[in-house]
Structure formats: C-alpha cells, structure tokens
Amino acid sequence: MGRLLLALLMSGWRRLLEEESEHQWLSFAAFTIIVIIGAILIDWSSDLSGVHEGSALEVNGLVLDSTEDSVLYQTEDGTLIKYKDTEENSQYATCLEEYRGMTLACLGTEGMLAYIGDGGPDCDTEWCQFSIGDNLTVTEVSGNGLALMLIVQDGTSNSLAAIWYGDSNPQPVVTQYEETMHLDVIIPTDDGWLIGGSWQAPPNWLGSNPTSPPKYELVIEAEWDGIGAPSIEIVYMGNEGSIHGIFSTDSGYVATGTSDTILISDGEIKSLGISSHTAAVDNNDNVWLFGGLGSTTVAVLSGSEITLEKLPEPLDILPTYATCDSDGMISVHGSDSYDESSAFSIDSNARTSFTSLRGILDLGFILVSLMILSIMAWNVTDAIRKGKVF
C-alpha cells in the first residue's frame, strides 16, 4: 500500500514537471508562490528563537545578583534578598555567591559576611553572619577550596583580603597597593582567582580631566599561599571601560567588558573586538553578550568564534545583569527608557533546536531536497529502463 501511494505521488509530480505538460503554467505559479513564502519564512527564521518577555527569576525589581536559590534585587521599597520562599531586607547588600552547598552574601555590614543554607539548625533557613576581621566591608567574595578571597572597600577604591573558611578567629591578610582599582567580578581558577574591573588613572594622567580621571578595563590574577598577603599580577589592561564579567569555558576564561572581550587561554590573551553591557554563559559554555538600549542583535561566543543573532525586536532596556539557570533559560535585567526595571528571557536551547522556525525550515529543506532527488533518480531509472538517450 505504501509503495502504491509513493508511486502515485511520484507519477503526479513527474507529470507536472514534464516539459510539454498542460500544467506547466500551474506548476510555475505554484513554484513562484512557494519561493515567495519560503523567502518570508527564511527572513522570519533569521530572528533569534526563544525570546520572551519577563524573567525566569520571578521577582519584581532590578536584579543585582543571583544564585540557584537566591536573588538580590532592588525595588521601590529598597534592596531585598529572596532565598527560596523567604525575603530579607538588606539595604547595602552587593553580592551573592554559592560556596560549599550554601549561599554567601555581602550585606555591607562592616567586619561580617553572611551565609545561609549550611544545614545547621539555625542557619539553614535564616541568615547568619561570621566575622572576617575589623574594618573590612566586603563587596564580592569567591571561594577556592577552604580559602576565601574577598574584594573589600578601601575608601574610594577596592583592595583584596583573604581568610580561611571556618577559622574561628580569622586574621584577614589585606593586599595594599597604590593604584586605584575598582574591582567588580571574581572567579576561582586552578591557581587562584581571576578578578575584573577597572584601573583608574591618577589625576592629570596624560592630560586627562583631573576631576574625573579615566578608567581602563582591568583583569588581574590573585594567588594566596595562606601565609602572606595575596599576590597579584596584571593579566590585561585595555581601553577605557570596565570588565563586568568573567566566565570559565572549555576554551579558557572569557572576560567581557564595555570596551572589549578577551579570551584567556594557556597564558595567552586574545582580543575578540566586541563590547557589551552585560553577559552570561549558558549550559553549553556559550557566552552571550548583550549591547545597549536599542540593540538589534546579541553576540554569542562559542570558543573563539562570534555569531551575531538578530533579535525579534530592538532591546527596549539597558541591560545591567544577566544569568542562565539550570534549564538553559537566560534572564536579562535592566532599566527601560523611563528608568523602570524590566526584563526579558531567552531559551538558549531554542537557538539550535529543530522545533524552532529555523530548525523546521532546515528539516523542510532536507525533506524537499530528498523528494526532488528521488524524482530525478526515478526519471533517470525510468529513462534507462526504456532505453532513452539523455
């Protein structure tokens, strides 16, 4: 039965494709319509799939930081930390970090670092705090083994401090340096930490404005042996701007900034020549870089190759924070032209999925191509069987 239907289908197509067929003009019209529809669909398919309004983080406000179980965000009522189903007011909080099965938080409290979810009777559902030494206010934290590297406020700039986790009487060792550094992101590595932000030039540097010296993109590497102060080494200093994200990928470490993006691999630095306002890494180690208000594309970095994906609509927000959850949903938060918090999300898996319009068109192209090739093979086989010369 199946062979009969296939034979009828093939014979019908063959009659329509015959040079002297009375259906030539009908075939030509149908072909023209298919080409027009195909062109429209191809244009639609060039838009990035899986873009939705709203965020997967399910909070109403401007998100500043997040982990799998917690979100730090601003509302009209102040700054809040949502941990699972509970919310805590924390006006001066700056960071959240997953560490050893719990969540650390920089609450802006001098000499203290907060934590929750350690499995203990008191701190499993409520925030607890432990001392990090006097006169230190932590803005970012990252753990590497039992060592904690802290970015601490030092007047109008930042310094680094290190302590051992679990020390009942921590004596933080602070790195002192003359340069003015504004450090915003930190990530552990095999040898220590990579830290990004900006270096601020001194007043009157190279004829710059003495009241507002320029800032330059900066990545430093920090190591700590547990004895002396953390040692630092400048890995990269770029053009005017700031590094806002550092991500670990299969190809190395990617540092994203407002002036450039660099790939750090085996001690080598490669400039990728693309700027962004915020970025996130998905579950396939692709780094997504988002531009400013009105951007029509999003850049996706796979290894050292950059692909520009067209957005269905220009960005109506200025992105300031992006993250990707375990399901591959990227949430991007920022402020719109009215300075109201807003967000959108992207299903990172839909970009290459067969269920997307692009995937359906690819599948349709394969099926149509196979059908045309089958008809051509049928005609050639039939001509050979009948002894025709061609």
Side-chain angles (χ1 to χ4, degrees):
M1 183 65 179
R3 291 183 178 178
L4 177 60
L5 290 175
L6 180 60
L8 290 174
L9 177 61
M10 289 297 185
S11 63
W13 276 100
R14 288 173 60 200
R15 286 195 298 270
L16 287 174
L17 295 174
E18 289 176 359
E19 185 178 354
E20 301 300 330
S21 170
E22 61 183 0
H23 302 292
Q24 285 187 52
W25 291 107
L26 176 61
S27 302
F28 180 76
F31 178 74
T32 302
I33 293 173
I34 291 174
V35 169
I36 294 173
I37 294 175
I40 294 173
L41 291 177
I42 289 173
D43 182 66
W44 286 351
S45 70
S46 65
D47 290 349
L48 181 64
S49 301
V51 180
H52 310 280
E53 291 186 2
S55 167
L57 297 181
E58 298 180 350
V59 294
N60 294 320
L62 182 64
V63 174
L64 304 177
D65 203 353
S66 67
T67 65
E68 184 176 352
D69 295 324
S70 55
V71 183
L72 171 64
Y73 65 105
Q74 288 180 337
T75 68
E76 294 180 353
D77 299 326
T79 303
L80 304 175
I81 298 180
K82 179 182 178 182
Y83 176 76
K84 296 182 178 179
D85 296 326
T86 64
E87 287 187 339
E88 181 86 7
N89 285 303
S90 186
Q91 188 65 31
Y92 304 105
T94 57
C95 84
L96 297 171
E97 179 71 15
E98 289 184 358
Y99 176 67
R100 302 178 68 87
M102 60 183 174
T103 299
L104 301 178
C106 311
L107 299 184
T109 305
E110 186 175 298
M112 305 297 287
L113 189 65
Y115 66 98
I116 196 171
D118 69 339
D122 298 325
C123 305
D124 192 36
T125 57
E126 295 183 1
W127 289 96
C128 298
Q129 298 191 56
F130 64 89
S131 173
I132 57 170
D134 296 334
N135 304 320
L136 293 180
T137 301
V138 183
T139 59
E140 294 286 341
V141 59
S142 177
N144 197 340
L146 291 176
L148 289 178
M149 185 64 67
L150 314 173
I151 298 176
V152 297
Q153 193 69 36
D154 184 11
T156 58
S157 63
N158 296 123
S159 299
L160 295 178
I163 61 172
W164 289 113
Y165 170 72
D167 193 334
S168 60
N169 185 28
Q171 300 297 320
V173 184
V174 182
T175 297
Q176 301 289 346
Y177 38 78
E178 296 179 0
E179 292 85 356
T180 300
M181 298 184 182
H182 302 275
L183 306 176
D184 301 313
V185 292
I186 181 171
I187 185 174
T189 66
D190 292 337
D191 300 320
W193 293 265
L194 282 175
I195 305 166
S198 61
W199 170 79
Q200 187 168 17
N204 298 315
W205 188 74
L206 296 180
S208 62
N209 186 345
T211 61
S212 181
K215 298 177 182 178
Y216 297 88
E217 290 183 339
L218 175 71
V219 177
I220 62 176
E221 183 178 28
E223 296 183 5
W224 186 50
D225 57 9
I227 301 175
S231 61
I232 66 171
E233 180 181 352
I234 295 178
V235 174
Y236 165 80
M237 186 176 293
N239 296 323
E240 284 193 48
S242 178
I243 297 295
H244 54 70
I246 304 178
F247 308 96
S248 175
T249 70
D250 291 336
S251 302
Y253 294 94
V254 176
T256 58
T258 56
S259 178
D260 198 0
T261 297
I262 62 170
L263 175 63
I264 306 171
S265 179
D266 297 327
E268 296 184 355
I269 306 296
K270 180 180 180 181
S271 172
L272 301 178
I274 187 168
S275 61
S276 58
H277 282 264
T278 191
V281 61
D282 66 19
N283 299 333
N284 297 313
D285 278 346
N286 299 316
V287 179
W288 297 63
L289 300 100
F290 299 92
L293 186 70
S295 297
T296 58
T297 60
V298 56
V300 182
L301 174 64
S302 301
S304 59
E305 300 296 325
I306 296 177
T307 303
L308 291 180
E309 299 285 354
K310 181 182 176 183
L311 293 168
E313 299 289 341
L315 286 186
D316 58 358
I317 68 171
L318 178 63
T320 55
Y321 179 76
T323 186
C324 183
D325 63 20
S326 58
D327 295 325
M329 187 66 70
I330 298 175
S331 298
V332 184
H333 289 255
S335 301
D336 60 20
S337 56
Y338 300 99
D339 203 27
E340 298 287 339
S341 61
S342 184
F344 68 95
S345 56
I346 300 175
D347 184 356
S348 62
N349 299 314
R351 177 169 165 256
T352 56
S353 173
F354 263 120
T355 59
S356 66
L357 180 57
R358 187 180 309 178
I360 292 172
L361 287 178
D362 289 341
L363 179 61
F365 176 77
I366 293 172
L367 294 177
V368 170
S369 298
L370 289 175
M371 185 176 65
I372 292 174
L373 291 174
S374 299
I375 293 172
M376 293 174 62
W378 184 296
N379 288 332
V380 171
T381 303
D382 186 59
I384 294 175
R385 182 174 59 81
K386 293 179 179 179
K388 292 183 179 180
V389 179
F390 57 91

